[in-house]
Amino acid sequence: MSQVSLRRLAKRFGSFTAVDDVDLDVREGELVALLGPSGCGKTTTLRMIAGFIAASGGRILIGDQDVTDLPPYRRNTGMVFQGYALFPHMTVNQNVAFGLEMRKVPRAEIGPRVAEALRLVQLDHLGERMPRQLSGGQQQRVALARALVIRPEVFLLDEPLSNLDAKLRLTVRVEIRQLQQALGLTTVFVTHDQEEALTLADRLVVMSQGKVQQIGTPTELYERPANHFVADFIGRSNFLAGTVSAPGRFRSRGGLDIAFADDGAGPRGEGVLAIRPEKASLEAGTDAGTGANRFPGTVVFVTYLGAATEVRVRLASGEEVTVTRHNATPLDDPRHAAGDLAPGNPVTVVWPPAAGLLLAPPPA
Amino acid sequence: MTIDIARHWRRWALHAVVVLVYLFILTPVIFIGWISFFSNEIIAFPPDGYTLRWFSNVWEQRVFARGFVMSLQVAFISMLIGVSLGTLAAIAIVRYRFPGRDTLNMLLLSPLIVPGIVAGTALYIFYIQIDNYLEWRLQATLEGLVLAHVMLTIPWTVRLVSASLVGIDRSVEDAAMNLGANRWTTFRRVTFPMMRAGLVAAALFSFITSFENLELSLLLVGPGRTTLPIAILQYLEFKVDPTIAAVSLIQIVLIGVLMLITDRFVKLSRVV
Ligand SMILES: Nc1ncnc2c1ncn2[C@@H]1O[C@H](COP(=O)(O)OP(=O)(O)OP(=O)(O)O)[C@@H](O)[C@H]1O
Ligand SMILES: [Mg+2]
């Protein structure tokens, strides 16, 4: 059963379409992340679900109720705002109690429920503080407790981690996920940080210019991006433009003859072949060797990233590809082939046919 | 070493300037306070002795007591009206987009720009005309003065309340609505408390501006219906004795106490 459904949801500001016919079903207890570059309409979509922005078209369903025309205070959503939006003139306890008061929960019940919600976010000892006396991370937790205490049907988060420092972001991220799973909360989470989205979400919605580009699990999105935009936005890809010369064969503009796993789904004629940098590998020297997709070239640039090393190679065809290799072997290990990675060295780039994904060329 | 000395001198110079500025501001006040205790009727330095006579004279000169009560009434009523109307206007100006919004804003602030004596003369003529045509007497009445002073209290309120409204993060109100508060409850429980500091400051400044106003009121008072500043001015026309200093000191202390009390509730330095 789906808990939140968006049906051809649209928002226009004058002649500008910020959200363009979005269809989405969020299942009960599922965490869905809205992901996309700045200005793609994530916040607008979320605020329409919460009811702060009226939809220009389409419907919003929560549970089995059509809430499209309801004001925010009649929709049972719990929202966490980017700047936390705590009530500055109320204590932590009063902040968390607010939603219960509005729901006319009996006084005797409010105290224990507030305490329970604060215990959930490990802040039960700070109930008497004012928001300004809390650190950013603590304010964030109060905001979570305040949204959770009302037991919302949908939990909405708009970039809740973006004001935290990098370390704290990781901790709070895990905490949010654990809470969400423990309480079985149906959640829509907005972020422009793809790593955050990939690690947190059951499913992702990739948006661009108000349109949904693809909806899928992290694996689906990474391994089977639906189009050039998604392949480019999620993770990194090498893109080789060219044409499909025969089933399973791709001829790049530079003249490379590439084998790829052809399931017949991609375009015919003009296309783009996407290859993830970590799915290709490097061999020292330029021996022809045997097997598919072996292309000689020269190292142009090496970037050491700690866990991996990124190597930019100019192929004999003139095209450049990036290959990442994991630094699995210790530096002083004889198998650690550091020598062949200096700029100017001849190398051979190799990737299996299954690593190449055929996509339609991006719209010009 | 030389850098240390340079820094030392710069700091010393800064302190000196600060002290000078304060002296410049406070000297008249200090002198007024001092003079109000002089025993000489004709002010002369140094005085022959000190006395509290002028303070009792303030009480005996009924014009001052009456003027004080009149000023208090005018200031209080003008403050109430000005703060109510000004707050509504500020909300409209800050929160809504409508044609003529900028014009309205300018219009509401303009009484601060027009010289009081000019506005006072205009009002005087206007009141006479109203009396002529509508038989409604405004000149030299409480209503007339209040009406005039509302022109002063509205701009202060609009300015101070707008400033505090602009500073309110709208997502805090969104959060209240998200938690189930309707618009009115959101205003009452969230918006209003957040703009309270601005409101208190607006009330205080409205009150003070009205209480000490001279120019605007000058033509709008009449015999027996005079505000304190005008009573002082009229007294000055006949006599220059320390009574004036005593009245002024009382007024200064009163306003000072008012500000201190207000400051206990909202930090004025944060809003103004
Ligand atoms: N009130 C408005 N009036 C006009 N245009 C608006 C309004 N609100 C948003 N937009 C536009 O709609 C588009 C989508 O905005 P939105 O805030 O949803 O983006 P976003 O995906 O959340 O971006 P970000 O990652 O920067 O937060 C933007 O181009 C924005 O300029
Ligand atoms: Mg946003």
Side-chain angles (χ1 to χ4, degrees):
Chain A
M1 184 200 128
S2 72
Q3 184 70 6
V4 182
S5 301
L6 310 183
R7 303 253 174 276
R8 297 180 62 82
L9 187 64
K11 180 64 196 180
R12 284 175 286 276
F13 295 108
S15 61
F16 175 76
T17 306
V19 175
D20 198 353
D21 288 349
V22 166
D23 277 298
L24 173 66
D25 283 297
V26 184
R27 297 179 203 116
E28 200 166 347
E30 186 182 36
L31 193 156
V32 166
L34 301 185
L35 178 65
S38 188
C40 70
K42 309 179 291 286
T43 298
T44 306
T45 307
L46 199 75
R47 291 177 66 81
M48 281 196 281
I49 301 176
F52 301 130
I53 300 180
S56 316
R59 312 302 302 170
I60 301 166
L61 284 80
I62 295 179
D64 40 22
Q65 192 188 11
D66 186 330
V67 299
T68 319
D69 301 315
L70 292 185
Y73 47 88
R74 294 211 195 294
R75 306 183 185 192
N76 195 13
T77 69
M79 178 137 168
V80 176
F81 294 81
Q82 184 169 356
Y84 317 138
L86 299 179
F87 307 128
H89 57 292
M90 299 186 197
T91 64
V92 167
N93 279 334
Q94 288 166 340
N95 262 279
V96 179
F98 189 86
L100 297 175
E101 283 173 43
M102 292 303 120
R103 281 167 173 68
K104 307 260 183 314
V105 173
R107 286 233 154 258
E109 216 180 294
I110 291 181
R113 275 180 69 177
V114 167
E116 184 203 319
L118 285 176
R119 202 169 320 119
L120 220 50
V121 294
Q122 294 142 37
L123 277 186
D124 31 339
H125 56 296
L126 296 180
E128 293 306 321
R129 291 251 189 111
M130 298 303 278
R132 64 170 175 279
Q133 299 170 314
L134 300 177
S135 73
Q138 291 167 333
Q139 291 184 26
Q140 164 70 277
R141 285 160 210 240
V142 177
L144 285 174
R146 186 178 68 175
L148 290 176
V149 76
I150 60 172
R151 297 176 190 152
E153 286 175 87
V154 195
F155 194 33
L156 304 172
L157 304 109
D158 189 1
E159 312 222 12
L161 306 177
S162 59
N163 287 354
L164 302 178
D165 67 56
K167 263 260 164 9
L168 201 55
R169 206 174 298 168
L170 293 185
T171 338
V172 179
R173 184 161 96 188
V174 174
E175 283 173 3
I176 288 181
R177 180 61 161 162
Q178 284 170 343
L179 268 179
Q180 183 265 333
Q181 286 182 326
L183 304 176
L185 290 163
T186 308
T187 306
V188 182
F189 188 107
V190 164
T191 176
H192 63 253
D193 179 339
Q194 52 156 308
E195 190 199 318
E196 201 168 287
L198 288 169
T199 50
L200 265 177
D202 295 306
R203 284 190 305 151
L204 285 82
V205 180
V206 179
M207 293 178 69
S208 166
Q209 292 172 6
K211 287 198 184 64
V212 170
Q213 300 294 320
Q214 189 174 5
I215 301 180
T217 63
T219 321
E220 281 165 5
L221 256 66
Y222 192 83
E223 302 293 340
R224 291 270 150 234
N227 56 36
H228 186 277
F229 178 85
V230 178
D232 196 21
F233 190 74
I234 305 282
R236 305 184 46 188
S237 283
N238 293 296
F239 293 107
L240 295 171
T243 46
V244 179
S245 48
R249 305 296 309 180
F250 185 85
R251 174 164 288 273
S252 78
R253 284 211 188 123
L256 301 177
D257 182 28
I258 308 168
F260 69 98
D262 191 356
D263 56 6
R268 299 294 105 171
E270 287 278 311
V272 168
L273 203 64
I275 303 122
R276 297 283 187 198
E278 75 282 1
K279 295 200 196 302
S281 55
L282 288 176
E283 286 173 14
T286 50
D287 311 337
T290 50
N293 299 344
R294 299 176 58 86
F295 305 106
T298 327
V299 175
V300 184
F301 202 75
V302 181
T303 315
Y304 177 71
L305 298 172
T309 301
E310 219 174 74
V311 187
R312 187 113 185 112
V313 180
R314 174 170 293 125
L315 301 178
S317 66
E319 286 150 318
E320 290 193 0
V321 292
T322 300
V323 178
T324 34
R325 49 153 60 178
H326 289 280
N327 297 328
T329 45
L331 208 56
D332 53 3
D333 191 296
R335 282 167 300 163
H336 188 96
D340 57 357
L341 290 183
N345 286 4
V347 286
T348 304
V349 179
V350 186
W351 68 83
L357 185 70
L358 182 67
L359 300 169
Chain B
M1 198 50 196
T2 43
I3 291 175
D4 259 14
I5 290 173
R7 190 176 297 158
H8 178 82
W9 275 103
R10 222 174 296 144
R11 174 167 307 183
W12 195 88
L14 180 69
H15 283 243
V17 168
V18 170
V19 168
L20 278 176
V21 168
Y22 270 100
L23 266 181
F24 182 71
I25 296 172
L26 290 177
T27 306
V29 179
I30 293 166
F31 266 82
I32 286 169
W34 189 26
I35 293 169
S36 64
F37 298 102
F38 282 17
S39 62
N40 311 40
E41 183 157 349
I42 304 209
I43 297 165
F45 292 93
D48 296 336
Y50 294 97
T51 174
L52 287 174
R53 195 172 96 214
W54 310 115
F55 287 92
S56 60
N57 190 38
V58 169
W59 182 249
E60 280 152 16
Q61 298 282 331
R62 299 311 294 163
V63 276
F64 290 132
R66 274 201 303 269
F68 180 75
V69 172
M70 183 77 173
S71 279
L72 219 57
Q73 283 178 324
V74 172
F76 190 73
I77 302 173
S78 316
M79 173 198 85
L80 283 186
I81 298 177
V83 168
S84 320
L85 295 180
T87 301
L88 293 178
I91 291 175
I93 287 169
V94 173
R95 288 301 170 80
Y96 298 96
R97 297 283 165 268
F98 51 89
R101 182 173 147 271
D102 292 334
T103 319
L104 179 68
N105 195 14
M106 279 300 294
L107 206 67
L108 289 175
L109 295 180
S110 60
L112 290 183
I113 305 163
V114 179
I117 195 77
V118 174
T121 311
L123 276 176
Y124 176 75
I125 297 168
F126 181 60
Y127 284 0
I128 299 292
Q129 294 295 325
I130 286 190
D131 200 4
N132 280 348
Y133 290 108
L134 304 175
E135 308 264 296
W136 182 26
R137 194 171 157 72
L138 285 169
Q139 204 275 327
T141 62
L142 182 65
E143 303 94 275
L145 273 174
V146 165
L147 228 53
H149 282 207
V150 165
M151 277 177 38
L152 297 171
T153 54
I154 285 184
W156 274 104
T157 307
V158 170
R159 264 180 62 178
L160 288 165
V161 174
S162 298
S164 75
L165 270 175
V166 167
I168 293 179
D169 178 4
R170 296 297 292 274
S171 67
V172 176
E173 293 171 290
D174 286 346
M177 286 214 257
N178 180 251
L179 292 166
N182 61 29
R183 277 170 206 288
W184 168 239
T185 311
T186 300
F187 180 78
R188 200 168 47 82
R189 295 280 313 266
V190 176
T191 318
F192 183 75
M194 284 170 75
M195 57 191 263
R196 215 191 54 197
L199 274 173
V200 172
L204 179 74
F205 277 80
S206 297
F207 186 88
I208 293 175
T209 335
S210 164
F211 190 84
E212 49 109 80
N213 180 271
L214 176 70
E215 307 93 320
L216 187 62
S217 323
L218 214 44
L219 293 174
L220 305 180
V221 295
R225 317 233 72 194
T226 293
T227 61
L228 184 58
I230 293 175
I232 295 174
L233 186 70
Q234 285 168 351
Y235 186 89
L236 266 173
E237 284 172 19
F238 299 101
K239 233 172 170 179
V240 181
D241 67 16
T243 310
I244 298 303
V247 177
S248 306
L249 187 66
I250 293 171
Q251 195 180 335
I252 290 168
V253 168
L254 211 89
I255 289 177
V257 167
L258 209 61
M259 288 185 98
L260 281 179
I261 294 174
T262 316
D263 200 58
R264 284 204 76 86
F265 294 101
V266 287
K267 282 270 155 275
L268 289 176
S269 52
R270 261 200 242 150
V271 239
V272 188

